[in-house]
Amino acid sequence: MSPGRKRGILIGAALAVVAIVVAAVVLLVKEDQAPAATGGPGEPTGTAQESPARVAARFLRQFEAGDLNTAPVDDPPAATAALSAARGALTPTAVEAALGEVPTTPGEATSTSATFHASWTFKGTSVWKYEGKLDLVRNAGKWVVRWAMSVIHPKLEADQWLSVAPVSAKPVVADREGKALVGGDAAGVAPILQGALSKVASEQNGGTGTPATVTVSRVDASGKPVETLFGQAEEAGQPLVSTLSVASQSAAQKAVDGLQGSAIIVAMKTSGDLLAVAQNAAAGNQPKALSGLYAPGSAFKIATATAALQQGGVSADSPMACPGSEQIRTRTLMNENGFDLGTVSLKTAFAASCNTTFGRLAGQLPADGLAKAASQLGLNADFEIPGLATETGKVEPSSSADEQVEAGIGQGKVQVSPLGAALMAATVATGKPVVPKLWQGLETNVNAGYQAPPAGVLNQVRAMMREVCTTGTAKALKGSGNVFGKTGTAQFGSGADANGWFVGYRGDVAFAVMLEGANDSEPAVQLAARFLAG
């Protein structure tokens, strides 16, 4: 290539580069003069002036912050003073304002408007929401918000102010006497059931939503209320009503919370209405009270006695041997601490909780004898209570004679929940099948029902359960009124540890107490006394 041609190419390339740079600079200048794309609806193009949409959005950001001194408003001092007074009166925990619609504004326009969505959050999680309006005008060639009290709320007029007052929120769920279980002043009541109660309430008509904890009103210059803007009583629907009792629930919860080990109490009316479901922190967050299955130990002797009285040809007064230990089939049973009563009545053997007596009686029953009696007491029933997952128990026909001997004293494969144990006591007390309920107006679905034992049998079982609480293993309850019940100690795992039980009723209240790893029934009896006293 000749030097002249080479020089011409270089000069042409240089001129092309210069042209590109100049074009880029011109483009950047134009983009810098154009309004931002995020200005919102109604923002004009082709002008360096802030659009009404951008001005409104900037104003609302400072409205949220509570300081309008540097906001695009025609009277910053008045605006800041009014907004500060409103926030000081309402004491919100948060204020949010989102730009709504901004109409397209012609270039020659001198006024326009914009809507926005306001949200004030108060302590207690009440949220006041409304739609507001901003009037915008040109002031010295720039768009600004025209200040008025209606900027804070569209109904607020000159010489009017906002006022807040706490309200006693209606409960979302109430107990059988109208006291709050969820919402209202229900803090700490029925903690293990809060999720279930709230979930069912949210599904039922009249039980949805969170009641307002405050009312917001506009008042005149003298402080006289003009209108309530938020928190009217009608906003809270009628509460859903539970069968629970705040008094019973509080007594049960207080009783279990006083213990370090895992403790559970379930109480119900003998009609089936649940009154209290309580377990302490050591029992965990799952509702073991309603669906946890455990060996019931000697508390199951209620079922064994029921079976023997029906099928074994004995009565409560029949003489029974109660040796300290006895080999039955291939199992060797021992009474606690090896006590030996000789020959006593069945009622006395029951009161003293003679393992040898009841192991022998169980071994003499048909293979399905204990399962039939357990079913008559509700331990194989199946219910669907709205909001709750429940199990009552699992007692099947014995597959061997040895297994039946173990079942006779509530060990082996026999399993019962605290709910099922309370149901068993309620069935003895009332003499009828019992359907557990948590709600007034919402029915429990019975998937598998049952029929109670004959009245003549239950009369004898009641007398035996009363003897337990007067002269037997629960005589510490003599000062707790006319209590009927049965103690139980049930080994689990390797057999080194045992759960303690007391199952019984007083008047029209049946209940079950279970202490995991207590290794004795005495603490369960003490807990029952504490609950009954409460």
Side-chain angles (χ1 to χ4, degrees):
M1 182 182 296
S2 68
R5 179 175 175 78
K6 183 176 182 180
R7 187 183 307 112
I9 292 173
L10 292 174
I11 291 172
L15 289 173
V17 170
V18 170
I20 292 171
V21 170
V22 170
V25 170
V26 171
L27 180 60
L28 288 172
V29 169
K30 287 184 177 180
E31 288 182 348
D32 186 57
Q33 289 176 343
T38 58
E43 184 175 319
T45 59
T47 174
Q49 179 181 296
E50 271 195 310
S51 68
R54 179 173 292 177
V55 169
R58 184 154 60 90
F59 174 86
L60 292 176
R61 286 196 297 271
Q62 292 180 258
F63 182 90
E64 289 180 332
D67 185 358
L68 299 177
N69 277 310
T70 60
V73 62
D74 62 357
D75 192 349
T80 297
L83 183 59
S84 296
R87 292 177 70 108
L90 301 186
T91 61
T93 57
V95 176
E96 297 179 2
L99 185 62
E101 295 183 0
V102 184
T104 302
T105 307
E108 68 275 8
T110 59
S111 65
T112 187
S113 63
T115 62
F116 68 95
H117 304 283
S119 175
W120 298 62
T121 302
F122 302 97
K123 185 178 180 181
T125 69
S126 285
V127 181
W128 178 33
K129 296 181 178 181
Y130 58 88
E131 183 175 285
K133 180 184 177 184
L134 301 176
D135 290 324
L136 296 102
V137 296
R138 285 188 192 271
N139 190 337
K142 295 181 180 181
W143 287 104
V144 293
V145 172
R146 176 184 289 161
W147 179 254
M149 292 300 290
S150 59
V151 171
I152 297 176
H153 188 277
K155 289 189 174 183
L156 204 58
E157 301 173 3
D159 297 323
Q160 290 184 349
W161 304 93
L162 293 177
S163 175
V164 68
V167 297
S168 178
K170 288 185 178 181
V172 176
V173 180
D175 81 340
R176 60 195 302 114
E177 297 174 350
K179 297 178 181 177
L181 284 168
V182 177
D185 56 356
V189 179
I192 198 65
L193 294 181
Q194 283 296 301
L197 294 171
S198 299
K199 181 177 183 295
V200 174
S202 70
E203 295 170 350
Q204 299 301 313
N205 183 30
T208 59
T210 301
T213 57
V214 298
T215 58
V216 178
S217 305
R218 58 185 178 111
V219 300
D220 62 19
S222 67
K224 181 180 179 180
V226 176
E227 180 185 4
T228 300
L229 302 174
F230 172 70
Q232 294 93 332
E234 59 266 26
E235 289 186 1
Q238 291 299 313
L240 197 61
V241 181
S242 170
T243 63
L244 295 175
S245 159
V246 166
S248 296
Q249 180 65 45
S250 297
Q253 196 64 49
K254 183 178 179 181
V256 297
D257 284 345
L259 298 176
Q260 290 185 342
S262 175
I264 293 170
I265 294 177
V266 175
M268 65 170 62
K269 285 279 191 180
T270 53
S271 62
D273 288 0
L274 286 169
L275 294 174
V277 179
Q279 58 188 60
N280 61 5
N285 297 322
Q286 297 302 313
K288 296 178 179 179
L290 301 173
S291 56
L293 293 177
Y294 305 87
S298 292
F300 188 72
K301 289 173 183 172
I302 296 172
T304 307
T306 299
L309 291 168
Q310 285 188 86
Q311 308 167 40
V314 298
S315 71
D317 295 322
S318 296
M320 294 285 155
C322 177
S325 65
E326 183 175 357
Q327 181 170 332
I328 305 170
R329 310 288 183 178
T330 66
R331 297 290 188 266
T332 299
L333 300 186
M334 294 185 61
N335 296 330
E336 187 174 3
N337 298 322
F339 69 84
D340 186 336
L341 299 184
T343 300
V344 293
S345 68
L346 178 60
K347 182 167 64 175
T348 299
F350 183 88
S353 203
C354 289
N355 288 334
T356 51
T357 303
F358 281 85
R360 190 184 327 105
L361 282 172
Q364 296 168 357
L365 293 171
D368 62 351
L370 290 175
K372 283 184 176 179
S375 294
Q376 289 177 319
L377 295 170
L379 296 182
N380 284 320
D382 182 25
F383 305 101
E384 284 184 27
I385 304 174
L388 301 181
T390 64
E391 295 278 356
T392 59
K394 184 178 181 181
V395 185
E396 299 175 337
S398 301
S399 59
S400 69
D402 288 337
E403 186 178 296
Q404 184 144 320
V405 169
E406 293 175 347
I409 59 171
Q411 294 280 182
K413 295 183 178 180
V414 173
Q415 292 186 307
V416 174
S417 72
L419 171 65
L423 184 70
M424 174 170 64
T427 304
V428 173
T430 192
K432 302 175 182 178
V434 176
V435 176
K437 293 180 62 178
L438 180 63
W439 304 101
Q440 294 184 13
L442 297 178
E443 294 301 319
T444 295
N445 187 47
V446 180
N447 294 329
Y450 67 101
Q451 294 298 319
V457 169
L458 289 180
N459 284 336
Q460 297 182 75
V461 174
R462 293 185 195 114
M464 294 163 69
M465 291 174 67
R466 180 62 184 145
E467 190 85 0
V468 171
C469 301
T470 54
T471 64
T473 53
K475 61 185 177 183
L477 291 174
K478 283 195 294 184
S480 297
N482 199 29
V483 183
F484 299 70
K486 183 69 188 78
T487 56
T489 304
Q491 294 176 329
F492 63 90
S494 66
D497 295 301
N499 298 326
W501 289 82
F502 181 78
V503 178
Y505 65 93
R506 184 180 71 178
D508 65 349
V509 177
F511 58 96
V513 175
M514 201 273 283
L515 302 179
E516 293 187 73
N519 295 322
D520 195 353
S521 62
E522 185 176 348
V525 172
Q526 295 171 348
L527 184 57
R530 194 179 310 162
F531 166 64
L532 292 172

